[in-house]
Structures are given as structure tokens and as C-alpha cells.
Amino acid sequence: MLGPELLERITARRAALDEIEEQLAKELAEVRAERNELAVTERVLERVSGQLAEERASDLPAPGQVAGRAGAGR
């Protein structure tokens, strides 16, 4: 038969573990949320970087052009 002191220690330990589990679950949810936010941010940055690269490439004058006009052949 379990003594009352041992039973009390078991109950206290279970309560402490329940608190730890709750805190860890909360932290895990926060980590997952932040990781998801970072993944979205990464995708947005990649898309914007690609768009900027395309815009820069389309803004470059074509070979043989100066300020958007055909250059004089020398």
C-alpha cells in the first residue's frame, strides 16, 4: 500500500509535469507560428526580388542604344 507521503509526492510531480507540458505546448505553438511567418516573408522577398530583377533588366538599354535611341555607328 502506498503511504500518503508518497502519493502526495506523485500528485505534486504530476501537477508540475502538467504545468511544464502546458508551457512547452505554448512555446511550440509560438515557434510554429513564427516559422510560418518567416516562410511567408521569405516567399514574399523572393517574389519581390524577382520582380525587381525583371524591372531592372527591362530598364536596361538594348545593345547599340543610348538613352533609348539608336546610337550613331562610329
Side-chain angles (χ1 to χ4, degrees), residues 37-59:
E37 289 174 6
L38 289 173
V40 169
T41 302
E42 185 176 33
R43 287 193 302 268
V44 169
L45 285 174
E46 287 173 355
R47 185 171 51 238
V48 169
S49 294
Q51 290 171 346
L52 288 174
E54 288 176 12
E55 288 177 15
R56 286 184 186 131
S58 67
D59 288 345

Side-chain angles (χ1 to χ4, degrees), residues 3-70:
E5 182 181 308
L6 183 56
L7 188 55
E8 184 178 311
R9 288 178 54 192
I10 291 171
T11 302
R13 181 62 180 153
R14 286 178 51 119
L17 290 173
D18 287 345
E19 288 180 26
I20 292 169
E21 179 184 26
E22 185 177 322
Q23 181 61 35
L24 289 173
K26 180 181 175 184
E27 289 179 28
L28 179 59
E30 291 171 359
V31 166
R32 286 179 174 163
E34 183 176 351
R35 187 179 61 202
N36 290 339
E37 289 174 6
L38 289 173
V40 169
T41 302
E42 185 176 33
R43 287 193 302 268
V44 169
L45 285 174
E46 287 173 355
R47 185 171 51 238
V48 169
S49 294
Q51 290 171 346
L52 288 174
E54 288 176 12
E55 288 177 15
R56 286 184 186 131
S58 67
D59 288 345
L60 291 176
Q65 287 188 341
V66 178
R69 298 176 301 209

